[in-house]
Amino acid sequence: MPKDGGIGASTKRREDLRFLTGNGRYTDDINLRGQAFAHFLRSDVAHGRINRIDTAAAAAMPGVLRVFTAADFAAVGGLPCGWCVTDKHGQPMREPKHPVLADGKVRHVGDPIAVVVAETYAQARDAAEAIVVDITELPAAINMKAALAPDAPLVHDDLPSNLCYDWGFVEDNKAAVDEAFRTAAHVTTLELVNNRLVANPMEPRVAVGDYDPWNDQHTLYTTSQNPHVIRLLMGAFVLGIPEHKLRVVAPDVGGGFGTKIFHYAEEAFCTFAAKQLKRPVKWTCSRSEAFMTDAHGRDHVTKIELALDKDNNFTAIRTETYANMGAYLSTFAPSVPTWLHGTLMAGNYRTPLIYVNVKAVFTNTVPVDAYRGAGRPEATFQLERVVDKAARELGVDPIELRRQNFIKPDQFPYQTPVAVVYDTGNYHATLDKLLEISDIAGFEARRADSARRGKLRGFGVAHYIEACGIAPSNLVGQLGARAGLYESATVRVNATGSISVYTGSHAHGQGHETSFAQVVAEMIGIDAKQIDIVHGDTANTPMGMGTYGSRSLAVGGSAIVKATNKIINKAKKIAAHLLEASEDDIELKDGKFSVAGTDKSVDWAGVTLAAYVPHNYPLENLEPGLEETAFYDPSNFTYPSGGYGCEVEVDPETGKVEIVAFSAADDFGNIVNPMIVEGQVQGGLAQGIGQALLESCVYDDNGQLLSGSYMDYAMPRADDLPMFKVDHSCNTPCTHNPLGVKGCGEAGAIGSPPAVVNAVIDALHRAGHTHVTHIDMPLTPARVWAAINGN
Amino acid sequence: MAKLTMTVNGRTLSADAEGRTLLSDFLRGGLGLTGTHVGCDTSQCGACVVHVDGQAVKSCSMLAHEAAGSTITTIEGMANADGSLSTLQQAFQDHHGLQCGFCTPGMVMSAAALLAENPKPTEAEVRHHLEGNICRCTGYHNIVKAVLAASGQDVSGVGIAAE
Ligand code: FES
Ligand code: FES
């Protein structure tokens, strides 16, 4: 390994220097000469017919350049959806138009009605207050089941109902699953809610549009996890700008967690308005605006049933889920409750028969789409809760019931009944490791100590599987994706041997500039400081698909490995020429090419210089230069897995839950930078614990957003959380990507919610409150107290 | 609009500001010091914390004109004179106390104020002090560890899985 820089080293992050000194370059830090400022006037009702918009007074206000409404966007497309789900009858989902600005109707609180562009933000805001909007408020569809009733208000008048699709998976298994339930020795049923969340990256979204009329060149600076995807969606489907005339830059981005994957109206607006006004146009989202415009996450209502035989083997799973789409289809919304959820319902278990039904529903709420984990937390939560409930009903240890039904280490690769094939894993090992680091042996003593202090102590386990490294393009194409999901890399070696790597992945906290450089340093054997990682600008990186679904290292890293291998192959040819040896005899080690069995060698810089100053060079059969591009399309998903253990203390007087310890034993395959991996897990755990105990996005029956700021939406804070014990020693490397990596970005958020809820139920049961079989998240003191007291 | 002068990171700076301009917006827009971040509009996230006359203040909760004549330190003024990272900043890097970096300026400014007042805080004191600073990325584990380490305490065993 190159000293302090190769694969497996906890190399300190190079990006930290700029962030720690206030020199990061986030989108809101970009100020273009002559820029104007946009302010969006948004609907304050959930559902209404727009009768009239009068902008005359606003347009006459000081500093106002122009006021835009839907009429200005008549010739412009709607925001596209990137995934078409086919329903259980073989019909495509219903896909209503999502206009850039509300056209005729407003469909959720926050739907944009008009935009003022002015010389300053203050002027734009002041003028927006002078716009007169006459809206007839309509009854709103909020609750999903009510929204499907025959007399429910229609979110989209041109659709026959609020149903987007009714999906069955695997539809051909349904009869066999029903039969397995008829013959089961025991059936456990659980109805639960996966609470609606707001991703809340700390950097609010920002867009800056710019237009150069002399070259007909558009530039959009935006807070995106995937600038190429935005270029494709916005250019091709909304504004009709070809790729070579549209540059999208996502510079330093302050967190994403899924919500910055999607193409948003404000991006299209700023790009469009910059051309109209011939001035750069900037929009910065306020936090209040973020709550009502960023795509939300989760929001599933589920009934899950688990069938067992007389020996407690799982024989079948049947689920019915209502999934909220919100008012419009966000970019990848339809895929989340279906292909990212149904395919994970086998979990870590050998359940032979599974049927998943999902009804996706339009409501008068903000669009719902992927949030850290996206579909997989919803699958894991219901599965790990129902297994725990089954164990309690059967009077067996929840840990042992899991172990008994786990896929065994010698059964990999394992074909599940829900389409996917797990390549590797060892669930027994991660569970054992979890119990060890949780000090399960000392639990009884700790519980007795809590009891002396009047507190109820409990321990809960959850074991998760996820499908990451998204995804084989041909497969997702069959499933309805309207994009490929490969990744790209260009490795540009310079004459003196330094390297710039251009990746289609995007970092917004994951530390790629450090870890990707470690990979290349390891492969060539040079110092990582000689390698720069460049990302986030469509002008200089090859077409990439960006970062989400824990895919950056597994897919983006694999593309870098592929391109670097091409570099090494060519460099070996050059070295063979310089050393007058056969290419087959050339070995590369520690940045030096040598002829096997001799002391003849040339170092890395000697070869790279020859590539660019080809005086002594095989020009007749080799081009000069040393730059290669590769695209990597994965052949399968990756399947990280792990066991999470949560220890809680419940105060029976108040219902308050305190997390006293949390342990995680993950299998991420090979690991490039352990420090970064641990950080990803810790951050994911905080979000999962936040979902379990604190966070909830709430609408009232009229569609007013009740949790629209940090005063009402409880974000986890430093004193809500413990130190975490994180282990990643039980690794079974992925078999189908060159690094053997699986991805670690979402695990924490996937595995932790059921561990927390299981721990609270355990605490209550140990204290004799066995009537409590489930509490819906978030487990606020009020809910826990009410459960204990039988309300 | 009225002209406004303050000492920021040791330099006397002036710019125009409306009466309603927040100190955070003035630092970012008026003075171009974009290291101070704005993460909310209800004074709850702490991304905007700076020191005003030695006190940690959420700069979004103060009008720029209220800070006229004050001495202000922002994240841009925290490194050592030779440009190297201060002990606290270095601890954040050493212990991976930041991911996306957006909350980081506020975290560093807040933690620096704590250590000035309480040079050897306990873990609970650090967590309590940072309650007004939201981080969505790190789960706070490594931030707390960094602050403890910067105070000279041994954090080698914190959160390490048992062997
Ligand atoms: S921006 Fe000041 S507290 Fe959030
Ligand atoms: S590092 Fe991203 S919010 Fe704290």
Side-chain angles (χ1 to χ4, degrees), chain A residues 605-640:
Chain A
V607 170
T608 61
L609 191 65
Y612 289 95
V613 188
H615 297 164
N616 175 17
Y617 194 88
L619 285 167
E620 55 291 351
N621 48 32
L622 204 61
E623 293 172 20
L626 201 48
E627 173 166 334
E628 298 286 352
T629 294
F631 284 75
Y632 175 81
D633 203 283
S635 61
N636 190 356
F637 292 86
T638 62
Y639 299 95

CSV table of all heavy atoms in Angstrom, one decimal, chain A residues 605-640:
chain,number,residue,atom,x,y,z
A,605,ALA,N,7.0,8.4,-13.6
A,605,ALA,CA,7.1,9.7,-14.3
A,605,ALA,C,7.9,9.5,-15.6
A,605,ALA,O,7.7,10.3,-16.6
A,605,ALA,CB,7.8,10.7,-13.4
A,606,GLY,N,8.8,8.6,-15.6
A,606,GLY,CA,9.6,8.3,-16.9
A,606,GLY,C,8.6,7.9,-18.0
A,606,GLY,O,8.8,8.3,-19.2
A,607,VAL,N,7.7,7.0,-17.7
A,607,VAL,CA,6.7,6.6,-18.7
A,607,VAL,C,5.8,7.7,-19.1
A,607,VAL,O,5.5,7.8,-20.2
A,607,VAL,CB,6.0,5.3,-18.1
A,607,VAL,CG1,4.8,5.0,-19.0
A,607,VAL,CG2,6.9,4.1,-17.9
A,608,THR,N,5.3,8.4,-18.1
A,608,THR,CA,4.3,9.5,-18.4
A,608,THR,C,4.9,10.5,-19.3
A,608,THR,O,4.3,11.1,-20.2
A,608,THR,CB,3.6,10.1,-17.2
A,608,THR,OG1,4.7,10.7,-16.4
A,608,THR,CG2,2.9,9.0,-16.3
A,609,LEU,N,6.2,10.9,-19.0
A,609,LEU,CA,6.9,11.9,-19.8
A,609,LEU,C,7.0,11.4,-21.2
A,609,LEU,O,6.8,12.1,-22.2
A,609,LEU,CB,8.2,12.2,-19.2
A,609,LEU,CG,8.9,13.4,-19.8
A,609,LEU,CD1,8.1,14.7,-19.5
A,609,LEU,CD2,10.3,13.6,-19.3
A,610,ALA,N,7.4,10.1,-21.4
A,610,ALA,CA,7.5,9.5,-22.7
A,610,ALA,C,6.2,9.5,-23.5
A,610,ALA,O,6.2,9.7,-24.7
A,610,ALA,CB,8.0,8.1,-22.6
A,611,ALA,N,5.1,9.4,-22.7
A,611,ALA,CA,3.8,9.4,-23.4
A,611,ALA,C,3.5,10.8,-24.0
A,611,ALA,O,2.8,10.9,-25.0
A,611,ALA,CB,2.7,9.0,-22.4
A,612,TYR,N,4.0,11.9,-23.4
A,612,TYR,CA,3.7,13.2,-23.9
A,612,TYR,C,4.9,13.8,-24.7
A,612,TYR,O,4.7,14.9,-25.3
A,612,TYR,CB,3.3,14.1,-22.7
A,612,TYR,CG,1.9,13.7,-22.3
A,612,TYR,CD1,1.7,12.9,-21.2
A,612,TYR,CD2,0.8,14.2,-22.9
A,612,TYR,CE1,0.5,12.5,-20.8
A,612,TYR,CE2,-0.5,13.9,-22.5
A,612,TYR,CZ,-0.6,13.0,-21.4
A,612,TYR,OH,-1.9,12.7,-21.0
A,613,VAL,N,6.1,13.3,-24.5
A,613,VAL,CA,7.3,13.7,-25.3
A,613,VAL,C,7.8,12.5,-26.0
A,613,VAL,O,8.8,11.9,-25.6
A,613,VAL,CB,8.3,14.3,-24.3
A,613,VAL,CG1,9.5,15.0,-25.2
A,613,VAL,CG2,7.7,15.4,-23.4
A,614,PRO,N,7.1,12.0,-27.0
A,614,PRO,CA,7.3,10.7,-27.6
A,614,PRO,C,8.5,10.6,-28.5
A,614,PRO,O,8.3,10.3,-29.7
A,614,PRO,CB,6.0,10.4,-28.2
A,614,PRO,CG,5.4,11.7,-28.6
A,614,PRO,CD,5.9,12.7,-27.6
A,615,HIS,N,9.6,11.0,-28.0
A,615,HIS,CA,10.8,10.9,-28.9
A,615,HIS,C,11.3,9.5,-29.1
A,615,HIS,O,11.6,9.0,-30.1
A,615,HIS,CB,11.9,11.8,-28.3
A,615,HIS,CG,11.6,13.2,-28.3
A,615,HIS,ND1,12.3,14.1,-27.5
A,615,HIS,CD2,10.6,13.9,-28.9
A,615,HIS,CE1,11.7,15.3,-27.7
A,615,HIS,NE2,10.7,15.2,-28.5
A,616,ASN,N,11.3,8.8,-28.0
A,616,ASN,CA,11.6,7.3,-28.0
A,616,ASN,C,10.3,6.6,-27.6
A,616,ASN,O,10.0,6.4,-26.5
A,616,ASN,CB,12.7,7.1,-27.0
A,616,ASN,CG,13.0,5.6,-26.8
A,616,ASN,OD1,12.7,4.8,-27.7
A,616,ASN,ND2,13.7,5.2,-25.8
A,617,TYR,N,9.5,6.2,-28.7
A,617,TYR,CA,8.2,5.8,-28.4
A,617,TYR,C,7.7,5.0,-29.6
A,617,TYR,O,8.0,5.3,-30.7
A,617,TYR,CB,7.3,7.1,-28.3
A,617,TYR,CG,5.9,6.9,-27.7
A,617,TYR,CD1,5.7,6.9,-26.3
A,617,TYR,CD2,4.8,6.6,-28.5
A,617,TYR,CE1,4.5,6.8,-25.8
A,617,TYR,CE2,3.6,6.5,-28.0
A,617,TYR,CZ,3.4,6.6,-26.6
A,617,TYR,OH,2.1,6.4,-26.1
A,618,PRO,N,6.9,4.0,-29.4
A,618,PRO,CA,6.4,3.1,-30.5
A,618,PRO,C,5.3,3.7,-31.3
A,618,PRO,O,4.2,3.3,-31.3
A,618,PRO,CB,6.0,1.8,-29.8
A,618,PRO,CG,5.5,2.3,-28.4
A,618,PRO,CD,6.4,3.4,-28.0
A,619,LEU,N,5.6,4.9,-31.9
A,619,LEU,CA,4.5,5.7,-32.6
A,619,LEU,C,3.8,4.9,-33.7
A,619,LEU,O,2.7,5.2,-34.0
A,619,LEU,CB,5.1,7.0,-33.2
A,619,LEU,CG,5.5,8.0,-32.1
A,619,LEU,CD1,6.4,9.1,-32.7
A,619,LEU,CD2,4.2,8.6,-31.5
A,620,GLU,N,4.5,3.9,-34.2
A,620,GLU,CA,3.8,3.2,-35.3
A,620,GLU,C,2.6,2.3,-34.8
A,620,GLU,O,1.7,2.1,-35.6
A,620,GLU,CB,4.8,2.3,-36.1
A,620,GLU,CG,5.6,1.2,-35.2
A,620,GLU,CD,6.6,1.9,-34.3
A,620,GLU,OE1,6.9,3.1,-34.4
A,620,GLU,OE2,7.2,1.1,-33.5
A,621,ASN,N,2.6,1.9,-33.5
A,621,ASN,CA,1.4,1.2,-33.1
A,621,ASN,C,0.8,1.7,-31.8
A,621,ASN,O,0.0,1.0,-31.2
A,621,ASN,CB,1.7,-0.3,-33.0
A,621,ASN,CG,3.1,-0.6,-32.3
A,621,ASN,OD1,3.4,0.2,-31.4
A,621,ASN,ND2,3.8,-1.6,-32.7
A,622,LEU,N,1.3,2.9,-31.3
A,622,LEU,CA,0.7,3.4,-30.1
A,622,LEU,C,0.6,4.9,-30.2
A,622,LEU,O,1.5,5.6,-30.6
A,622,LEU,CB,1.6,3.0,-28.9
A,622,LEU,CG,1.0,3.0,-27.5
A,622,LEU,CD1,-0.1,1.9,-27.4
A,622,LEU,CD2,2.1,2.7,-26.4
A,623,GLU,N,-0.6,5.4,-29.8
A,623,GLU,CA,-0.8,6.9,-29.9
A,623,GLU,C,-0.1,7.5,-28.7
A,623,GLU,O,0.1,6.9,-27.6
A,623,GLU,CB,-2.3,7.2,-29.7
A,623,GLU,CG,-3.2,6.8,-30.8
A,623,GLU,CD,-4.7,7.0,-30.4
A,623,GLU,OE1,-5.0,7.8,-29.5
A,623,GLU,OE2,-5.5,6.4,-31.1
A,624,PRO,N,0.4,8.7,-28.9
A,624,PRO,CA,1.0,9.4,-27.7
A,624,PRO,C,-0.1,9.7,-26.7
A,624,PRO,O,-1.3,9.5,-27.0
A,624,PRO,CB,1.6,10.7,-28.3
A,624,PRO,CG,1.4,10.6,-29.8
A,624,PRO,CD,0.4,9.5,-30.1
A,625,GLY,N,0.3,10.3,-25.6
A,625,GLY,CA,-0.7,10.7,-24.6
A,625,GLY,C,-1.1,9.6,-23.6
A,625,GLY,O,-0.8,8.4,-23.9
A,626,LEU,N,-1.6,9.9,-22.5
A,626,LEU,CA,-2.0,8.9,-21.5
A,626,LEU,C,-3.3,9.4,-20.8
A,626,LEU,O,-3.3,10.1,-19.8
A,626,LEU,CB,-0.9,8.7,-20.5
A,626,LEU,CG,-0.9,7.4,-19.7
A,626,LEU,CD1,-1.1,6.2,-20.6
A,626,LEU,CD2,0.4,7.3,-18.9
A,627,GLU,N,-4.4,9.1,-21.5
A,627,GLU,CA,-5.7,9.5,-21.0
A,627,GLU,C,-6.8,8.5,-21.4
A,627,GLU,O,-6.8,8.2,-22.6
A,627,GLU,CB,-6.1,10.9,-21.5
A,627,GLU,CG,-7.5,11.3,-21.2
A,627,GLU,CD,-7.8,12.8,-21.4
A,627,GLU,OE1,-6.8,13.6,-21.4
A,627,GLU,OE2,-8.9,13.2,-21.6
A,628,GLU,N,-7.5,8.0,-20.5
A,628,GLU,CA,-8.5,7.0,-20.8
A,628,GLU,C,-9.8,7.3,-20.1
A,628,GLU,O,-9.9,7.8,-19.0
A,628,GLU,CB,-8.0,5.6,-20.3
A,628,GLU,CG,-6.7,5.2,-21.0
A,628,GLU,CD,-6.8,4.7,-22.4
A,628,GLU,OE1,-8.0,4.6,-22.9
A,628,GLU,OE2,-5.8,4.5,-23.1
A,629,THR,N,-10.9,6.9,-20.8
A,629,THR,CA,-12.3,7.0,-20.3
A,629,THR,C,-12.9,5.6,-20.2
A,629,THR,O,-12.6,4.8,-21.1
A,629,THR,CB,-13.1,7.9,-21.2
A,629,THR,OG1,-12.6,9.2,-21.1
A,629,THR,CG2,-14.6,7.9,-20.7
A,630,ALA,N,-13.6,5.4,-19.1
A,630,ALA,CA,-14.3,4.1,-19.0
A,630,ALA,C,-15.7,4.3,-18.5
A,630,ALA,O,-15.9,5.3,-17.7
A,630,ALA,CB,-13.6,3.1,-18.1
A,631,PHE,N,-16.6,3.5,-18.9
A,631,PHE,CA,-18.0,3.5,-18.4
A,631,PHE,C,-18.2,2.1,-17.8
A,631,PHE,O,-17.8,1.1,-18.4
A,631,PHE,CB,-19.0,3.7,-19.5
A,631,PHE,CG,-19.1,5.1,-19.9
A,631,PHE,CD1,-18.1,5.7,-20.8
A,631,PHE,CD2,-20.2,6.0,-19.5
A,631,PHE,CE1,-18.2,7.0,-21.2
A,631,PHE,CE2,-20.3,7.3,-19.9
A,631,PHE,CZ,-19.3,7.8,-20.8
A,632,TYR,N,-18.7,2.1,-16.6
A,632,TYR,CA,-18.9,0.8,-15.9
A,632,TYR,C,-20.4,0.6,-15.6
A,632,TYR,O,-21.0,1.5,-15.0
A,632,TYR,CB,-18.1,0.8,-14.6
A,632,TYR,CG,-18.4,-0.5,-13.7
A,632,TYR,CD1,-17.8,-1.7,-14.0
A,632,TYR,CD2,-19.3,-0.4,-12.7
A,632,TYR,CE1,-18.0,-2.8,-13.3
A,632,TYR,CE2,-19.6,-1.6,-12.0
A,632,TYR,CZ,-18.9,-2.8,-12.2
A,632,TYR,OH,-19.2,-3.9,-11.5
A,633,ASP,N,-20.9,-0.5,-16.1
A,633,ASP,CA,-22.3,-0.8,-15.9
A,633,ASP,C,-22.4,-2.1,-15.0
A,633,ASP,O,-21.9,-3.1,-15.4
A,633,ASP,CB,-23.1,-1.0,-17.2
A,633,ASP,CG,-24.6,-0.8,-17.0
A,633,ASP,OD1,-25.2,-1.7,-16.4
A,633,ASP,OD2,-25.1,0.3,-17.4
A,634,PRO,N,-22.9,-2.0,-13.8
A,634,PRO,CA,-22.8,-3.1,-12.9
A,634,PRO,C,-23.6,-4.3,-13.4
A,634,PRO,O,-24.6,-4.1,-14.1
A,634,PRO,CB,-23.3,-2.6,-11.6
A,634,PRO,CG,-24.2,-1.4,-11.9
A,634,PRO,CD,-23.6,-0.9,-13.2
A,635,SER,N,-23.2,-5.5,-13.1
A,635,SER,CA,-23.9,-6.7,-13.5
A,635,SER,C,-25.0,-7.1,-12.5
A,635,SER,O,-25.8,-8.0,-12.8
A,635,SER,CB,-23.0,-7.9,-13.8
A,635,SER,OG,-22.3,-8.2,-12.6
A,636,ASN,N,-24.9,-6.6,-11.3
A,636,ASN,CA,-25.9,-6.9,-10.3
A,636,ASN,C,-25.9,-5.7,-9.3
A,636,ASN,O,-25.0,-4.9,-9.3
A,636,ASN,CB,-25.5,-8.2,-9.5
A,636,ASN,CG,-26.6,-8.8,-8.6
A,636,ASN,OD1,-27.6,-8.2,-8.4
A,636,ASN,ND2,-26.3,-9.9,-8.0
A,637,PHE,N,-26.9,-5.7,-8.4
A,637,PHE,CA,-26.8,-4.8,-7.3
A,637,PHE,C,-25.8,-5.4,-6.3
A,637,PHE,O,-25.4,-6.5,-6.4
A,637,PHE,CB,-28.2,-4.8,-6.5
A,637,PHE,CG,-29.3,-4.2,-7.3
A,637,PHE,CD1,-30.1,-4.9,-8.2
A,637,PHE,CD2,-29.6,-2.8,-7.1
A,637,PHE,CE1,-31.1,-4.3,-8.9
A,637,PHE,CE2,-30.7,-2.3,-7.8
A,637,PHE,CZ,-31.4,-3.0,-8.7
A,638,THR,N,-25.4,-4.6,-5.3
A,638,THR,CA,-24.6,-5.1,-4.2
A,638,THR,C,-25.6,-5.2,-3.0
A,638,THR,O,-26.6,-4.6,-3.0
A,638,THR,CB,-23.5,-4.1,-3.8
A,638,THR,OG1,-24.0,-2.9,-3.4
A,638,THR,CG2,-22.5,-3.9,-5.0
A,639,TYR,N,-25.2,-6.1,-2.1
A,639,TYR,CA,-26.1,-6.4,-1.0
A,639,TYR,C,-25.4,-6.2,0.4
A,639,TYR,O,-25.1,-7.2,1.1
A,639,TYR,CB,-26.6,-7.8,-1.1
A,639,TYR,CG,-27.4,-7.9,-2.4
A,639,TYR,CD1,-26.8,-8.4,-3.6
A,639,TYR,CD2,-28.7,-7.4,-2.5
A,639,TYR,CE1,-27.5,-8.5,-4.8
A,639,TYR,CE2,-29.4,-7.5,-3.7
A,639,TYR,CZ,-28.8,-8.0,-4.9
A,639,TYR,OH,-29.5,-8.1,-6.0
A,640,PRO,N,-25.2,-5.0,0.8
A,640,PRO,CA,-24.7,-4.8,2.2
A,640,PRO,C,-25.7,-5.3,3.2
A,640,PRO,O,-26.9,-5.3,2.9
A,640,PRO,CB,-24.6,-3.2,2.3
A,640,PRO,CG,-24.7,-2.7,0.9
A,640,PRO,CD,-25.5,-3.7,0.1
